[in-house]
Amino acid sequence: MEKTFVMLKPDAVQRNLAGEIIGRLEKRGLKLVALKMLKIRQELAEQHYGEHVGKPFFQSLVDFITSGPVIAMIWEGQNAVQVVRKMMGSTDPQAADPGTIRGDFALFMGNNIIHGSDSPQSAAREMSLFFSEAEIISYSKDLEAWIYGTN
Ligand code: DAT
Ligand code: MG
């Protein structure tokens, strides 16, 4: 089953939105297989956002993501990468549809609540930056049969 890397950014933690967002992902039927809270160091921020090095917003992005604790997670499910991206909504919260996480909880591009991998390749890279293999739990849940219609 596909895995995706998701991170609740410092604004989500500070605004007490973690439970709400984790609840949405859970209720959708995705399975939580890894979770940790951490304060991201400068080097990890620069690695994680390596594709944006040199862009005008890079420094403010690194400053923001290192400004407080984040909650890093891995979620598993059929087509998990794309499913989470759709649930997140557009990068710019003002353009994000209502009903999406950014469209419901954010107003400003810099503080957009949540990160989710944009491809299975990015997911693999990001998961290995934040988690060891041993920290990713493989388990089954009985209700998967009801989520995927295999009962
Ligand atoms: P996403 O987080 O939707 O994958 P991204 O990977 O293009 O978006 O950018 C990473 C983060 O950088 C994004 O969540 C917010 C910030 N960002 C992106 N484009 C920006 C811009 N034009 N101005 C300011 N911040 C920006
Ligand atoms: Mg991105």
Side-chain angles (χ1 to χ4, degrees):
M1 201 77 86
E2 189 167 275
K3 292 183 177 69
T4 190
F5 176 73
V6 176
M7 183 166 64
L8 306 183
K9 297 184 180 183
D11 53 340
V13 174
Q14 293 296 327
R15 292 177 54 203
N16 298 331
L17 293 170
E20 161 80 28
I21 297 167
I22 290 170
R24 285 189 181 206
L25 298 170
E26 267 189 317
K27 282 177 231 163
R28 184 71 190 271
L30 294 163
K31 182 163 70 180
L32 184 61
V33 296
L35 178 146
K36 66 171 75 161
M37 177 178 260
L38 71 157
K39 234 188 137 192
I40 298 186
R41 289 166 291 101
Q42 174 94 9
E43 310 80 68
L44 179 58
E46 289 174 358
Q47 277 180 298
H48 174 68
Y49 281 125
E51 65 179 299
H52 299 302
V53 170
K55 295 185 184 170
F57 59 85
F58 182 71
Q59 193 55 50
S60 62
L61 179 58
V62 169
D63 289 346
F64 171 58
I65 212 70
T66 57
S67 65
V70 302
I71 296 175
M73 298 176 282
I74 299 174
W75 288 85
E76 189 179 282
Q78 276 183 20
N79 221 1
V81 168
Q82 206 191 320
V83 165
V84 170
R85 290 290 294 189
K86 278 204 152 187
M87 291 178 75
M88 287 164 50
S90 305
T91 304
D92 179 355
Q94 291 182 13
D97 290 333
T100 64
I101 292 163
R102 287 165 169 170
D104 286 349
F105 300 124
L107 269 179
F108 171 65
M109 171 79 107
N111 297 33
N112 63 5
I113 301 284
I114 184 168
H115 167 86
S117 307
D118 62 9
S119 68
Q121 293 72 27
S122 305
R125 189 182 74 83
E126 294 166 359
M127 287 188 290
S128 70
L129 277 178
F130 285 83
F131 291 97
S132 69
E133 280 297 330
E135 290 174 320
I136 305 172
I137 312 299
S138 177
Y139 66 105
S140 59
K141 282 179 157 176
D142 288 346
L143 58 68
E144 277 162 19
W146 291 97
I147 292 167
Y148 295 110
T150 54
N151 53 309

